[in-house]
C-alpha cells in the first residue's frame, strides 16, 4: 500500500499543482530533485571532472538500480540522453539490406515510425504493420502471420503515448523467440508505471525515458540491451566512451551495453535518474501500479457518466493514461480550462501516432495520466472542470 500522505509530502508541488500529465513529464520527488541540485552545486564548486569522481558511487548505482527494476544484469544497461536516442541506437545499429522487413503495430510512436520511414526511403526496408485485435491492442496472431524469412526485427510500443492501452508484450516476445527474431520494445510510457521484467517479456532491447512515470529529470533515458543481441548490431555512433582506440586502424567496442553510451553526458541527470529508480523501487512497483490502476479506473468511470464524453482508451488491460474528448469542445480548449486551474494535462495529436488516430478518425484527444501520488479529490476536481 502506498502512503499517499507521505509521498505527497515528498513532492512539495503536489500542494500547489494537480499533476495529471505524468505521461508527459511527472514532477521529481524532492529527494530526486535534491540529488540533482547537489551535484550541480558540486560541479560549480570543484569542476565537473572532480565532482564526477567524488560522485562515482551514485553514478555507478544507475546500472544496479535499473538492473533491479528490469530484472537484468548491470552490464545490459546504458545511460542515454532520451528514450528516442536509446531506441535509435538499436534500430540504426542493424545492418538492414533492401527488402529486409520490420514488424510494428498500429499504436507505434511517431518518432519510431519516422525512423522506419527514413530507412524505407534510404535503405529499402519494408514496414509491416500488424492489425489490432477486437479490443484495440496489437493482434499477436497478425504479427505471427506477417513474419517472413526477411523479417529482421519486431518493434512495438508497449504503452502508447496517446492512450491507456497496454500492448501484450509478453505474447509478442514469445512470437519473436519462436521465430528467432530480435524484439525491440518501446517502454517509454510503461517504465515506472507497471512492473517490467525483460526476461518475462522476452525482449532483446528496451528503451525508456527518465521524465515520465519514473519521475526523473528531463533529458535522461535508458537502454536495456541483452548481451547476446547487442553483439549482433553495431552502435551507429562510436566515440571514446563507446570504444577503445587500440591501434592506429583498430578499435574495440566496450564489451557491454555501454557501447551505446556517449562519453559526454548530463551527469547530474544520470544521478537524478538513478535516485528516481531507487525511489520507485523503495515504494514498490507492484504497489504503485495497483494504485495507478485504481485511480485511472475511477477517472474513466467518472468521465463516462457524462454523455458528452468519448473515452479514447483501448485494449484488454488499461493503465494510468486516460484519454477523452468532449463532443462539444476542442481538446485544446479543455486543456486550457484545466491549465487555468493549475491542472497539468496534455493533448495527443495525430502526428504523435498517426496510424492509430487516423484509423480511428480522431484528430486529437485530451490526455490525462495519473500517478500513485494523485488523489481521489484531485480526480473529482479534474472531472468538475472537464465537465463544466
Ligand atoms: C515520450 C515517448 C517517447 C520519446 O521519449 P523521449 O525521452 O522524449 O525521447 C517514445 N515513445 C513513447 C511511446 C513515448 O510516449
Amino acid at each position: 500500500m502506498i502512503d499517499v500522505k507521505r509521498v505527497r509530502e515528498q513532492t512539495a508541488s503536489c500542494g500547489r499543482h494537480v499533476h495529471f500529465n505524468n505521461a508527459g513529464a511527472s514532477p521529481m520527488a524532492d529527494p530526486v530533485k535534491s540529488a540533482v541540485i547537489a551535484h550541480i552545486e558540486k560541479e560549480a564548486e570543484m569542476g565537473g571532472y572532480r565532482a564526477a569522481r567524488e560522485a562515482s558511487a551514485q553514478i555507478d548505482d544507475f546500472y544496479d538500480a535499473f538492473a533491479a527494476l528490469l530484472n537484468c544484469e548491470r552490464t545490459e544497461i546504458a545511460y542515454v540522453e532520451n528514450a528516442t536516442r536509446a531506441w535509435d541506437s538499436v534500430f540504426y545499429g542493424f545492418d538492414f539490406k533492401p527488402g529486409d522487413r520490420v514488424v510494428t503495430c498500429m499504436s507505434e510512436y511517431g518518432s519510431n515510425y519516422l525512423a522506419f520511414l527514413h530507412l524505407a526511403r534510404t535503405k529499402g526496408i519494408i514496414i509491416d504493420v500488424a492489425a489490432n485485435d477486437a479490443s484495440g491492442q496489437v493482434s499477436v496472431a497478425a504479427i505471427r502471420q506477417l513474419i517472413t524469412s526477411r523479417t529482421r526485427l519486431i518493434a512495438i510500443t508497449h504503452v502508447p503515448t496517446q492512450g491507456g492501452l497496454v500492448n501484450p508484450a509478453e505474447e509478442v516476445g514469445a512470437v519473436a523467440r519462436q521465430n528467432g527474431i530480435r524484439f525491440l520494445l518501446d517502454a517509454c510510457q510503461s517504465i515506472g508505471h507497471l512492473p517490467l521484467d525483460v526476461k518475462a517479456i522476452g525482449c532483446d532491447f528496451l528503451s525508456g525515458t527518465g521524465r515520465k512515470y519514473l519521475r526523473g529529470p528531463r533529458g535522461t533515458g535508458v537502454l536495456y540491451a541483452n548481451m547476446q543481441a547487442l553483439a549482433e548490431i553495431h552502435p551507429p555512433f562510436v566515440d571514446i566512451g563507446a570504444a577503445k582506440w587500440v591501434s592506429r586502424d583498430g578499435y574495440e567496442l566496450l564489451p557491454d551495453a555501454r557501447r551505446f553510451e556517449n562519453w559526454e553526458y548530463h551527469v547530474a541527470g544520470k544521478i537524478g535518474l538513478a535516485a528516481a529508480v531507487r525511489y520507485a523501487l523503495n515504494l514498490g512497483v507492484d504497489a504503485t501500479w495497483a494504485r495507478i490502476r485504481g485511480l485511472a479506473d475511477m477517472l474513466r468511470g467518472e468521465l463516462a457518466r457524462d454523455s458528452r464524453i468519448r473515452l479514447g482508451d483501448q485494449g484488454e488491460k488499461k493503465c494510468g493514461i486516460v484519454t477523452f474528448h468532449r463532443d462539444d469542445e476542442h481538446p485544446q480548449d479543455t486543456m486550457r480550462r484545466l491549465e487555468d486551474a493549475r491542472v497539468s494535462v496534455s493533448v495527443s495529436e495525430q502526428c504523435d501516432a498517426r496510424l492509430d488516430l487516423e484509423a480511428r478518425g480522431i484528430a486529437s484527444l485530451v490526455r490525462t495520466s495519473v500517478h500513485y501520488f494523485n488523489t481521489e479529490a484531485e480526480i473529482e476536481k479534474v472531472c468538475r472542470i472537464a465537465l463544466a
Side-chain angles (χ1 to χ4, degrees):
M1 281 279 282
I2 298 297
D3 184 343
V4 178
K5 184 167 173 287
R6 189 174 147 78
V7 292
R8 288 179 70 80
E9 280 164 7
Q10 289 175 343
T11 302
S13 66
C14 281
R16 302 184 289 272
H17 288 268
V18 178
H19 296 290
F20 268 43
N21 188 19
N22 298 293
S26 189
M28 282 181 268
D30 296 340
V32 175
K33 181 184 77 173
S34 301
V36 175
I37 292 172
H39 191 73
I40 288 172
E41 301 272 15
K42 216 177 215 175
E43 289 183 341
E45 179 64 26
M46 61 189 72
Y49 284 22
R50 180 161 183 173
R53 269 200 311 278
E54 291 199 357
S56 60
Q58 280 171 287
I59 296 169
D60 194 56
D61 190 49
F62 182 87
Y63 303 95
D64 293 315
F66 271 106
L69 184 72
L70 298 175
N71 186 29
C72 65
E73 302 300 321
R74 56 174 275 128
T75 50
E76 296 175 314
I77 295 295
Y79 173 81
V80 190
E81 64 264 39
N82 59 59
T84 304
R85 282 295 173 265
W87 188 97
D88 286 342
S89 68
V90 170
F91 178 67
Y92 286 98
F94 280 84
D95 179 25
F96 289 115
K97 300 284 185 280
D100 279 351
R101 307 182 81 101
V102 175
V103 174
T104 188
C105 63
M106 289 294 289
S107 50
E108 192 64 356
Y109 186 63
S111 294
N112 303 348
Y113 207 83
L114 289 173
F116 299 147
L117 291 173
H118 175 209
L119 292 199
R121 192 181 280 185
T122 60
K123 294 207 163 184
I125 69 164
I126 297 166
I127 312 163
D128 290 314
V129 180
N132 289 337
D133 70 12
S135 77
Q137 66 184 24
V138 67
S139 160
V140 179
I143 290 183
R144 201 177 273 118
Q145 277 169 6
L146 284 170
I147 290 172
T148 74
S149 61
R150 294 300 304 273
T151 305
R152 298 281 308 278
L153 179 68
I154 298 173
I156 66 158
T157 295
H158 196 191
V159 168
T161 183
Q162 74 282 7
L165 162 75
V166 183
N167 268 320
E170 293 191 15
E171 286 87 335
V172 175
V175 173
R177 270 180 310 202
Q178 282 155 16
N179 291 277
I181 295 168
R182 293 303 175 195
F183 177 23
L184 165 58
L185 184 67
D186 176 341
C188 205
Q189 291 294 356
S190 52
I191 197 165
H193 185 162
L194 46 102
L196 287 180
D197 176 331
V198 292
K199 293 200 173 68
I201 292 171
C203 57
D204 298 292
F205 306 100
L206 175 149
S207 54
T209 201
R211 74 178 186 281
K212 296 180 180 174
Y213 273 88
L214 279 176
R215 307 186 62 202
R218 290 203 66 176
T220 63
V222 65
L223 174 67
Y224 156 79
N226 90 40
M227 286 299 275
Q228 288 82 47
L230 73 84
E232 290 171 21
I233 63 174
H234 195 289
F237 301 112
V238 178
D239 76 358
I240 54 172
K244 277 214 179 77
W245 194 8
V246 292
S247 66
R248 190 183 171 93
D249 296 321
Y251 67 89
E252 281 169 12
L253 291 171
L254 292 197
D256 55 25
R258 296 183 69 169
R259 62 178 59 185
F260 296 105
E261 294 187 347
N262 301 318
W263 190 87
E264 174 60 357
Y265 65 92
H266 180 34
V267 178
K270 186 178 185 180
I271 289 171
L273 183 49
V277 174
R278 287 293 174 199
Y279 190 84
L281 288 168
N282 283 337
L283 289 175
V285 183
D286 290 318
T288 51
W289 171 223
R291 177 154 175 89
I292 290 168
R293 260 185 314 183
L295 290 170
D297 286 347
M298 176 183 168
L299 177 54
R300 276 189 206 96
E302 296 281 310
L303 288 170
R305 282 164 45 185
D306 191 302
S307 63
R308 296 166 301 175
I309 294 289
R310 302 278 165 268
L311 288 173
D313 308 317
Q314 297 187 295
E316 271 176 30
K317 188 163 119 184
K318 293 185 180 63
C319 65
I321 299 178
V322 178
T323 55
F324 67 93
H325 65 97
R326 258 175 69 158
D327 279 352
D328 57 346
E329 188 174 55
H330 194 282
Q332 292 286 356
D333 294 329
T334 312
M335 177 167 80
R336 215 161 293 130
R337 291 192 302 104
L338 286 160
E339 295 275 353
D340 286 347
R342 288 180 176 268
V343 178
S344 302
V345 301
S346 71
V347 169
S348 291
E349 305 281 358
Q350 260 189 7
C351 55
D352 300 330
R354 180 165 293 284
L355 298 185
D356 176 43
L357 294 180
E358 218 171 58
R360 290 155 67 198
I362 295 170
S364 62
L365 284 163
V366 181
R367 183 186 71 181
T368 61
S369 42
V370 292
H371 218 321
Y372 57 78
F373 57 79
N374 290 127
T375 63
E376 289 76 2
E378 287 177 327
I379 289 176
E380 299 296 349
K381 175 174 177 170
V382 168
C383 290
R384 212 162 43 240
I385 297 165
L387 304 176

